[in-house]
Coordinates of all heavy atoms in Angstrom, one line a residue:
R164 N 93.9 107.9 147.2 CA 95.3 108.2 146.9 C 95.9 107.1 145.9 O 96.6 107.6 144.9 CB 96.1 108.1 148.2 CG 95.7 109.2 149.2 CD 95.9 109.0 150.6 NE 95.3 107.9 151.2 CZ 95.3 107.6 152.4 NH1 95.8 108.5 153.3 NH2 94.8 106.5 153.0
V165 N 95.5 105.9 146.0 CA 96.0 104.9 145.0 C 95.2 105.1 143.6 O 95.8 105.1 142.6 CB 95.8 103.5 145.5 CG1 96.2 102.5 144.4 CG2 96.7 103.3 146.7
G166 N 93.9 105.3 143.8 CA 93.1 105.4 142.6 C 93.5 106.6 141.7 O 93.6 106.5 140.4
M167 N 93.8 107.7 142.3 CA 94.2 108.9 141.6 C 95.5 108.7 140.8 O 95.5 109.0 139.7 CB 94.4 110.0 142.6 CG 94.9 111.3 142.1 SD 93.7 112.2 141.1 CE 92.8 113.1 142.4
T168 N 96.5 108.1 141.5 CA 97.8 107.9 140.9 C 97.7 106.9 139.7 O 98.2 107.1 138.6 CB 98.9 107.4 141.9 OG1 98.9 108.4 143.0 CG2 100.2 107.3 141.3
L169 N 96.9 105.8 140.0 CA 96.8 104.7 139.0 C 96.0 105.2 137.8 O 96.4 105.0 136.6 CB 96.1 103.6 139.7 CG 95.9 102.4 138.8 CD1 97.2 101.8 138.3 CD2 95.2 101.3 139.6
A170 N 95.0 105.9 138.0 CA 94.2 106.4 136.9 C 95.0 107.4 136.0 O 95.0 107.3 134.7 CB 92.9 107.1 137.4
R171 N 95.8 108.3 136.6 CA 96.6 109.2 135.9 C 97.6 108.5 135.1 O 97.9 108.8 133.9 CB 97.2 110.2 136.9 CG 97.7 111.4 136.2 CD 98.6 112.3 137.2 NE 97.7 113.0 138.1 CZ 97.8 113.0 139.4 NH1 98.7 112.1 139.9 NH2 97.1 113.7 140.2
T172 N 98.2 107.5 135.7 CA 99.3 106.7 135.0 C 98.8 106.0 133.9 O 99.4 105.9 132.8 CB 100.0 105.9 136.1 OG1 100.4 106.6 137.3 CG2 101.3 105.3 135.5
L173 N 97.6 105.3 134.1 CA 97.1 104.5 133.0 C 96.7 105.4 131.8 O 96.8 105.1 130.7 CB 95.8 103.8 133.5 CG 96.0 102.6 134.5 CD1 94.7 102.2 135.1 CD2 96.6 101.5 133.7
S174 N 96.2 106.6 132.2 CA 95.8 107.5 131.2 C 97.0 108.0 130.3 O 97.0 108.1 129.1 CB 95.2 108.8 131.9 OG 94.4 109.5 131.0
A175 N 98.1 108.2 131.1 CA 99.4 108.6 130.4 C 99.9 107.5 129.5 O 100.6 107.8 128.5 CB 100.4 109.0 131.4
L176 N 99.5 106.3 129.8 CA 99.9 105.2 128.9 C 99.0 104.9 127.7 O 99.2 104.0 126.9 CB 100.0 103.8 129.7 CG 101.1 103.7 130.7 CD1 100.9 102.4 131.6 CD2 102.5 103.6 130.0
G177 N 98.0 105.8 127.6 CA 97.1 105.7 126.5 C 95.9 104.8 126.6 O 95.2 104.5 125.7
A178 N 95.6 104.4 127.9 CA 94.4 103.7 128.2 C 93.1 104.5 128.1 O 93.2 105.7 128.4 CB 94.5 102.9 129.5
N179 N 92.0 103.9 127.9 CA 90.7 104.6 128.1 C 90.3 104.3 129.5 O 90.0 103.2 129.8 CB 89.6 104.0 127.1 CG 90.1 104.0 125.7 OD1 90.7 105.0 125.2 ND2 89.9 102.9 125.0
V180 N 90.4 105.3 130.3 CA 90.2 105.1 131.8 C 88.8 105.4 132.1 O 88.2 106.5 131.8 CB 91.2 106.0 132.6 CG1 90.9 105.7 134.1 CG2 92.6 105.6 132.3
Y181 N 88.2 104.5 132.8 CA 86.8 104.6 133.3 C 86.9 104.7 134.9 O 87.6 103.7 135.5 CB 85.9 103.4 132.9 CG 85.6 103.4 131.5 CD1 86.5 103.0 130.5 CD2 84.3 103.8 131.0 CE1 86.2 103.0 129.2 CE2 84.0 103.8 129.7 CZ 84.9 103.4 128.8 OH 84.7 103.4 127.4
L182 N 86.5 105.7 135.5 CA 86.7 105.9 136.9 C 85.4 105.8 137.6 O 84.4 106.6 137.4 CB 87.3 107.3 137.1 CG 88.1 107.6 138.4 CD1 87.1 107.6 139.6 CD2 89.2 106.6 138.6
G183 N 85.3 104.8 138.6 CA 84.1 104.7 139.4 C 84.3 105.2 140.8 O 85.2 104.8 141.4
A184 N 83.5 106.2 141.2 CA 83.6 106.7 142.5 C 82.1 107.1 143.0 O 81.1 107.0 142.2 CB 84.4 108.0 142.5
R185 N 82.0 107.5 144.2 CA 80.7 107.8 144.7 C 80.5 109.3 145.1 O 79.3 109.7 145.1 CB 80.4 106.9 146.0 CG 81.3 107.2 147.2 CD 80.9 106.2 148.3 NE 81.9 106.4 149.4 CZ 81.8 105.7 150.5 NH1 80.8 104.8 150.7 NH2 82.8 105.8 151.4
K186 N 81.6 110.0 145.3 CA 81.4 111.4 145.6 C 81.2 112.2 144.3 O 82.1 112.1 143.4 CB 82.6 111.9 146.4 CG 82.6 111.4 147.8 CD 83.8 112.2 148.5 CE 84.1 111.7 149.8 NZ 85.6 111.8 150.1
P187 N 80.3 113.2 144.3 CA 80.2 114.1 143.1 C 81.4 114.8 142.8 O 81.8 114.9 141.6 CB 79.0 115.1 143.5 CG 78.4 114.4 144.7 CD 79.3 113.5 145.4
E188 N 82.2 115.2 143.8 CA 83.4 115.9 143.5 C 84.5 115.0 142.9 O 85.3 115.5 142.1 CB 84.0 116.6 144.8 CG 84.3 115.7 146.0 CD 83.2 115.6 146.9 OE1 82.0 115.5 146.5 OE2 83.4 115.5 148.2
D189 N 84.5 113.7 143.3 CA 85.4 112.8 142.6 C 85.0 112.5 141.2 O 85.9 112.4 140.3 CB 85.4 111.4 143.4 CG 86.2 111.6 144.7 OD1 86.9 112.6 144.9 OD2 86.1 110.6 145.6

Side-chain angles (χ1 to χ4, degrees):
R164 293 158 305 190
V165 173
M167 174 74 85
T168 305
L169 182 58
R171 193 189 287 122
T172 311
L173 289 166
S174 203
L176 286 173
N179 306 314
V180 179
Y181 291 75
L182 200 293
R185 62 181 173 182
K186 285 189 191 146
E188 60 267 38
D189 285 348

